[in-house]
Amino acid sequence: MKLLAVFCGCMLLGACATVQKPALTPLQIQAIQSKEFETDKNIAFGAVVSVFQDAGYIVQSADKDSGFITAASPATEKTALWGLLTNSSTSAQTRATAFVEQIRAGFVTVRLNFVNAVRTYGSNGQAMDHDQALLDPKVYQSAFDKIDSAIFVRMGTRAPEPATVR
């Protein structure tokens, strides 16, 4: 009888483990990937570039007018099975984009997007790409916390604006 109870419990746990989370809606993804900051576009843009660089990303493009930034982590290479049984290998990196947009005077929105990119090379030399969006809210919150700190530092080191004379 105890054995039957243990078996049924294991079956229930196994069934629970295979339940997948429902897919996020585009609005839910946007909520995870976006944050508003009280600053101007120039400061936020510089803060995002700085945070990417501090995290080891290589900034591939940055256009302040459009507010668009692309960056990628250095690729890491691994040889499957230590090169003993096959000639296949894998290259992995994280790619990131940011969009910095002035939404109203003194406020910007930063939207980030992180993607894990894996390229597998088969023994015949053919490459296969596997990209997967990172949708873990903790990843984005961590990045936004770092951007918030970088904005704070930049605001503190900003030269005061000249007083207007009447």
Side-chain angles (χ1 to χ4, degrees):
M1 188 57 109
K2 284 185 180 181
L3 186 59
L4 180 62
V6 170
F7 176 74
C8 289
C10 288
M11 292 301 289
L12 285 174
L13 286 175
C16 292
T18 60
V19 175
Q20 294 182 353
K21 290 195 262 182
L24 296 172
T25 66
L27 193 57
Q28 290 170 319
I29 293 169
Q30 183 178 353
I32 291 168
Q33 295 178 335
S34 302
K35 183 169 180 181
E36 185 176 294
F37 295 93
E38 188 173 357
T39 190
D40 65 44
K41 184 176 178 180
N42 288 331
I43 289 176
F45 190 87
V48 173
V49 169
S50 177
V51 166
F52 280 163
Q53 289 176 324
D54 290 348
Y57 284 76
I58 300 161
V59 175
Q60 298 167 320
S61 68
D63 180 37
K64 196 182 296 184
D65 290 337
S66 69
F68 198 69
I69 304 163
T70 62
S73 68
T76 57
E77 301 265 344
K78 294 182 182 175
T79 303
L81 300 173
W82 304 281
L84 297 175
L85 300 177
T86 67
N87 292 328
S88 65
S89 66
T90 302
S91 171
Q93 73 178 160
T94 302
R95 293 192 308 255
T97 60
F99 178 55
V100 181
E101 180 180 30
Q102 187 84 42
I103 53 173
R104 63 184 181 278
F107 289 88
V108 297
T109 297
V110 175
R111 182 162 183 186
L112 302 174
N113 185 23
F114 294 104
V115 174
N116 278 334
V118 177
R119 176 171 280 179
T120 304
Y121 300 93
S123 57
N124 62 357
Q126 185 176 5
M128 291 178 41
D129 292 331
H130 309 278
D131 294 345
Q132 184 174 11
L134 287 171
L135 297 176
D136 183 351
K138 293 175 189 170
V139 170
Y140 291 91
Q141 188 57 52
S142 175
F144 288 133
D145 289 346
K146 289 176 175 76
I147 292 168
D148 194 34
S149 295
I151 288 171
F152 178 78
V153 168
R154 287 173 179 272
M155 295 284 287
T157 59
R158 185 177 178 180
E161 295 186 21
T164 56
V165 179
R166 293 185 184 210

